[in-house]
Amino acid sequence: MAQETARRRKNDEKKDKERVVEKKSESEETKDKDEIKPKYGPHVTFPYQRVWSRCVLILGVMLVVWYNSRNGKEVSFARQKDVLVSRTQHVDCSTDYKAEIDKYPGCVPEKCGRVVSDKLVSASEADTLLQLAKNGFKYGGSDGGASTLDLQSGALSKGTKFIDVYRLSDAKKIFNSADFAIYKVVRTKIHHAIAHHFGVDANKIYLTKPTFFSRITNAPAKTIHDEYWHPHVDKETYESFHFTSLLYLSDYGRDFEGGRFVFIDKNSVNSTIEPRKGRVSMFTSGSENLHAVEKVTSGTRYALTVSFTCDKEQATVDPSFDRTKHA
């Protein structure tokens, strides 16, 4: 019995030694794996390594955002779906504009900038003017993408040139006294809205020429007159302009694509207006309001430009049905 007990104890001790050897072997094997040296030298480590890694990652993201934004940030000034009583953006008057307009007491704006309103012109008034524009463009139209019809002079784009629409035998089919009466109502509303929003005397600003309809399609440009998309300043294009207004007669995203109006401000910030039928955009005409129109990619974009001057010598009268009678 004592011998049997001694034999079992000996076997148990043998098994315990084998387990110890196995564990030691596994431990050494793991240690060998851990001690495998990197191909290009030891890994670099330093205090707060994970914190610094995250900081570098965040900085990288910020650099990407900055790089993308430095080429132009876009601010939506008026979207097509908005219905605005009025919305205003103030900008500093440009030095050249301020220096000139100071010569006209009562006509100096309290602040330069731009205003958008969807409640100034009624739907029926916009429809009437749109139909008037379409009637006129039936007798002409540029070979390129941009056509104009000047209501003061009668100049209508046709091919690569212009014709006098008032001299056409069908002029009385295009224009009538009722249409011009609607135009005058709309022009008067815009006149007083500009005076109100910019804090000038309505009796000190005067309608100036040209007053024109524009029709833009995606047809490729044929002449320089078709290249409407270049950034420009109205005061440089039309010396008499001090206040510009645009009445949109078609809807962005419905009647046409592209063709948004873009104010190009300092630091490459662009303020965009999506045309909406009946929407009026009004702005000071100096270099504080550098702007462009995006290329129309499909459909047809209609608008009416009506502008005002502080210089009484540059004033003009409203177009009238009498002009067609004497053409």
Side-chain angles (χ1 to χ4, degrees):
M1 186 70 178
Q3 290 179 349
E4 182 64 20
T5 300
R7 186 177 63 80
R8 289 180 179 175
R9 186 182 293 117
K10 188 175 182 180
N11 287 337
D12 291 339
E13 289 175 354
K14 183 179 179 181
K15 288 180 181 179
D16 290 339
K17 288 181 181 179
E18 287 176 353
R19 291 193 190 99
V20 170
V21 170
E22 286 177 0
K23 287 182 180 181
K24 184 176 181 181
S25 177
E26 289 175 0
S27 178
E28 289 176 351
E29 199 172 34
T30 302
K31 185 177 180 181
D32 289 340
K33 288 180 181 179
D34 292 339
E35 290 179 354
I36 294 175
K37 294 183 178 180
K39 184 176 181 181
Y40 300 104
H43 294 295
V44 177
T45 60
F46 50 90
Y48 304 105
Q49 180 173 349
R50 296 182 67 181
V51 174
W52 281 104
S53 298
R54 290 178 182 178
C55 289
V56 170
L57 178 61
I58 292 170
L59 180 61
V61 172
M62 292 175 66
L63 286 172
V64 170
V65 172
W66 171 81
Y67 179 82
N68 291 332
S69 64
R70 73 189 181 95
N71 292 324
K73 179 181 178 182
E74 183 176 297
V75 176
S76 179
F77 182 27
R79 295 171 296 180
Q80 192 279 333
K81 65 180 181 180
D82 296 335
V83 181
L84 305 172
V85 175
S86 68
R87 178 173 290 171
T88 303
Q89 280 185 342
H90 293 302
V91 294
D92 293 333
C93 296
S94 58
T95 304
D96 52 343
Y97 179 79
K98 188 72 165 57
E100 183 195 345
I101 210 166
D102 277 343
K103 297 184 297 184
Y104 304 101
C107 197
V108 179
E110 292 176 353
K111 290 183 179 179
C112 288
R114 68 279 307 224
V115 181
V116 169
S117 175
D118 295 317
K119 294 295 187 178
L120 195 57
V121 175
S122 71
S124 61
E125 290 166 345
D127 286 337
T128 298
L129 293 176
L130 175 60
Q131 191 57 53
L132 177 58
K134 289 181 175 180
N135 290 344
F137 285 123
K138 286 179 183 177
Y139 293 85
S142 169
D143 286 342
S147 303
T148 58
L149 169 56
D150 183 355
L151 291 177
Q152 258 94 26
S153 69
L156 171 65
S157 304
K158 187 167 186 179
T160 57
K161 299 180 179 180
F162 292 87
I163 62 170
D164 185 347
V165 72
Y166 291 138
R167 292 188 175 276
L168 297 177
S169 59
D170 286 347
K172 294 178 181 64
K173 294 180 181 179
I174 304 172
F175 307 101
N176 60 62
S177 56
D179 289 342
F180 280 126
I182 294 296
Y183 156 80
K184 187 173 182 178
V185 168
V186 169
R187 192 273 302 161
T188 302
K189 287 181 179 181
I190 295 172
H191 185 150
H192 287 280
I194 287 175
H196 169 72
H197 287 292
F198 292 101
V200 298
D201 186 343
N203 296 317
K204 297 294 184 179
I205 58 174
Y206 312 94
L207 178 69
T208 191
K209 57 185 178 180
T211 297
F212 60 93
F213 289 110
S214 60
R215 184 187 72 182
I216 304 176
T217 69
N218 65 345
K222 299 295 183 182
T223 72
I224 192 171
H225 300 294
D226 298 317
E227 297 180 6
Y228 57 86
W229 53 81
H230 299 298
H232 64 277
V233 173
D234 283 357
K235 193 76 180 66
E236 295 174 359
T237 306
Y238 304 104
E239 188 177 351
S240 65
F241 282 23
H242 290 112
F243 299 92
T244 305
S245 75
L246 290 163
L247 167 60
Y248 297 109
L249 300 173
S250 51
D251 285 302
Y252 168 80
R254 295 179 183 176
D255 301 314
F256 63 93
E257 297 291 342
R260 297 184 305 170
F261 188 97
V262 183
F263 288 109
I264 304 167
D265 293 327
K266 296 177 181 178
N267 302 320
S268 298
V269 176
N270 295 337
S271 294
T272 61
I273 297 176
E274 297 176 355
R276 175 185 174 88
K277 191 174 183 180
R279 171 170 286 169
V280 179
S281 169
M282 301 162 278
F283 52 94
T284 48
S285 306
S287 56
E288 68 280 347
N289 277 320
L290 176 69
H291 60 272
V293 174
E294 294 176 332
K295 289 184 179 181
V296 170
T297 56
S298 64
T300 305
R301 179 190 190 271
Y302 288 94
L304 172 66
T305 298
V306 183
S307 298
F308 299 87
T309 185
C310 299
D311 185 354
K312 194 172 184 178
E313 293 183 2
Q314 297 292 334
T316 189
V317 296
D318 289 310
S320 68
F321 189 58
D322 290 338
R323 175 71 174 82
T324 65
K325 290 180 180 178
H326 299 291

